[in-house]
Amino acid sequence: MDPDLAGLAVDRAWPTVIEIHAHHTSPGWILPLTDVLPAQLAWHPERPLVAGLVVRDRRAHPWVADYATQTVTVFDQVRAATSHAWPPQVWVDDRLVLLLPSPPPAKTPPAHGNPVALEATGPMYVKFLPSLPELAALIAAQPAALDPATGQAIGLTHPLVVRRLADLDGELYLEYAEDDPASEDGLSWSSLTVSVDGSGPPRPVPEAPHEPAPWEATPAPEPTHPTGISIETGYHQARLTQHPGKPATVLWLRNARPGDRVTEPPLLDTGHAVAHLDLPLHWPADATVESLHPQIVETVRAAMAIVDGPMLVGGHSFSATLALYALAHVPELRAAIVHSGCYNRTLTPTGWQHEKRHLWQAPDIYRAFSALEFADKLDRPVLLAHGTNDTNPATAPEQSVELYKAIVANGGTARLLLLPGAGHTFYYAEHTAFLSTEHRNWIERWTR
């Protein structure tokens, strides 16, 4: 949380320059703004207007740029809140809907340093999660419609914990949190619509507007190598996509089903070939190591039979564990590259990813998918990368540090990359440039 920004702290790289091209061949216009909040910009669907948030004196304010006249207006009199909503503002007709901070609560004496006593009797899961009132006190914000012509903002609802803002047939559509004790995190999400001129009360709505996926706005270039090769896993169809390059291939595992949204493919800038293996696992409630093992190992072997040349294996987050599992059981793999993984599943004893049983119900599964448990079998080199600010509860940076120590203690070779300020995913240009060099050197070092 960031009290100055009246909401969530920002952990993405801040843009240094925003350059707009009105047309494909038009000269660019650089916005005369600094300290623009790194959030998705709001583009007007019909007019040459774009909006965002700028930070001045540690407070966020909306701005609107007209890229036809090349003018920018910053509404210093309007303070915006940074929120869970993505993007944090949206155009509805000619009004810019954004979130305003809640009125500050009455000040109470600070309780820092007081002892805490907790007690529970099971069987039950203990959750250290805030209640909705506690969460609302931190990040609730009031949806408001700003008229760029007058600079006036009209509040549309009372303060809410907002997840999404969108235009729905000329009205504001928003999703907000409600209490739900039965859900995993104690919350459920409801939706409503409201007129942006304040002419009517909010109304519940069941159907959400279509949300364009990033690749719909910016189509990815068509690969030049044959793609879409299916591999039978025994339960599902895995998909192998090849990106050509110099000899030596990184087989990058992604625990994804066809149609799942996946992050931008990494490792495409090393000059070496990359093969992405989307591997959907069949993981029922009674899954065993014996049922999961061939889905991973045999599918990796089938992919290796399709791709020529020496091969490394890699993955991010849970797929980092899958990559190391493959390395431990497929001796033909030369090395591994893994990012932001959880390598000791005893630290997530009440469930993780596909596994909903707790540690004491399925100890073999927890051991089989804890790389720390089979570090003695990682006898080929492993490159570990982790952000020092990874706030995912399962993937603290210590996970990579401890696995690095374990591999070396067992006589293996490991290289540990700690990226200062990076979270679970790596956004900073300096980090991606550093990783590109490290990846390239690692590939060439272990595939000669």
Side-chain angles (χ1 to χ4, degrees):
M1 306 308 304
D2 188 328
D4 290 331
L5 292 178
L8 297 183
V10 178
D11 63 353
R12 290 176 176 248
W14 289 61
T16 55
V17 173
I18 298 177
E19 182 174 325
I20 297 177
H21 295 257
H23 304 286
H24 180 65
T25 58
S26 65
W29 172 52
I30 296 177
L31 267 67
L33 288 174
T34 57
D35 296 325
V36 174
L37 201 74
Q40 186 176 331
L41 301 180
W43 298 86
H44 196 290
E46 297 175 354
R47 300 177 58 191
L49 301 176
V50 61
L53 299 178
V54 64
V55 175
R56 293 183 172 176
D57 297 324
R58 295 289 304 146
R59 295 189 172 197
H61 303 278
W63 57 266
V64 174
D66 185 324
Y67 50 88
T69 61
Q70 297 190 357
T71 56
V72 181
T73 303
V74 177
F75 298 92
D76 292 299
Q77 76 281 10
V78 177
R79 185 183 180 189
T82 57
S83 170
H84 185 55
W86 188 264
Q89 65 278 315
V90 66
W91 288 101
V92 181
D93 289 336
D94 285 338
R95 295 177 188 262
L96 180 67
V97 176
L98 68 159
L99 297 167
L100 305 182
S102 301
K107 291 188 176 180
T108 57
H112 302 298
N114 292 346
V116 174
L118 302 171
E119 181 175 335
T121 301
M124 61 176 288
Y125 291 115
V126 174
K127 300 176 182 177
F128 294 97
L129 295 171
S131 65
L132 182 57
E134 292 172 307
L135 192 63
L138 295 171
I139 62 170
Q142 182 185 31
L146 172 68
D147 183 348
T150 64
Q152 298 300 309
I154 303 173
L156 302 178
T157 73
H158 61 278
L160 299 168
V161 176
V162 178
R163 179 169 71 171
R164 184 182 171 201
L165 303 169
D167 177 9
L168 181 61
D169 300 327
E171 293 189 314
L172 171 66
Y173 167 91
L174 63 85
E175 295 175 0
Y176 64 97
E178 292 190 316
D179 268 318
D180 184 1
S183 73
E184 189 170 322
D185 57 7
L187 301 175
S188 63
W189 297 93
S190 300
S191 56
L192 56 81
T193 60
V194 61
S195 173
V196 293
D197 61 7
S199 59
R203 302 177 306 283
V205 59
E207 188 169 344
H210 172 65
E211 182 179 11
W215 52 83
E216 293 180 18
T218 309
E222 290 294 324
T224 58
H225 196 278
T227 61
I229 301 171
S230 294
I231 301 174
E232 177 61 48
T233 69
Y235 298 93
H236 303 292
Q237 293 286 322
R239 185 178 182 86
L240 182 70
T241 305
Q242 299 182 63
H243 301 267
K246 293 188 291 186
T249 299
V250 178
L251 182 66
W252 192 259
L253 305 187
R254 302 188 293 201
N255 180 218
R257 296 176 181 270
D260 284 357
R261 182 179 296 187
V262 294
T263 56
E264 182 68 20
L267 302 168
L268 294 182
D269 56 355
T270 65
H272 289 274
V274 177
H276 292 104
L277 180 60
D278 293 337
L279 177 57
L281 294 174
H282 176 67
W283 200 305
D286 59 351
T288 63
V289 176
E290 291 74 21
S291 68
L292 296 169
H293 177 88
Q295 296 182 60
I296 303 166
V297 173
E298 297 309 319
T299 306
V300 167
R301 287 188 180 279
M304 294 179 70
I306 296 170
V307 181
D308 295 328
M311 183 174 290
L312 294 80
V313 67
H316 172 84
S317 195
F318 176 62
S319 297
T321 295
L322 299 182
L324 293 175
Y325 189 95
L327 184 70
H329 294 91
V330 182
E332 296 84 0
L333 291 165
R334 299 288 189 90
I337 298 173
V338 290
H339 295 174
S340 308
C342 175
Y343 308 121
N344 182 0
R345 281 296 170 189
T346 66
L347 297 179
T348 58
T350 56
W352 44 274
Q353 203 71 18
H354 308 293
E355 184 52 65
K356 302 308 179 187
R357 294 167 291 185
H358 56 60
L359 169 64
W360 304 272
Q361 294 171 311
D364 290 348
I365 292 284
Y366 278 73
R367 283 197 296 268
F369 290 91
S370 291
L372 202 66
E373 289 274 350
F374 56 82
D376 58 324
K377 295 183 175 63
L378 298 176
D379 55 0
R380 278 139 295 144
V382 176
L383 178 67
L384 300 131
H386 220 118
T388 61
N389 285 11
D390 190 341
T391 56
N392 186 323
T395 57
E398 288 78 14
Q399 292 273 356
S400 286
V401 173
E402 293 304 316
L403 181 59
Y404 169 74
K405 291 161 63 177
I407 293 172
V408 175
N410 281 281
T413 298
R415 184 173 175 84
L416 176 64
L417 311 176
L418 295 174
L419 308 178
H424 189 61
T425 306
F426 311 136
Y427 296 108
Y428 291 96
E430 295 85 351
H431 292 159
T432 55
F434 170 75
L435 285 173
S436 177
T437 300
E438 288 285 339
H439 290 156
R440 185 183 305 108
N441 292 343
W442 196 252
I443 295 168
E444 293 174 356
R445 180 178 172 186
W446 301 111
T447 57
R448 287 173 183 165

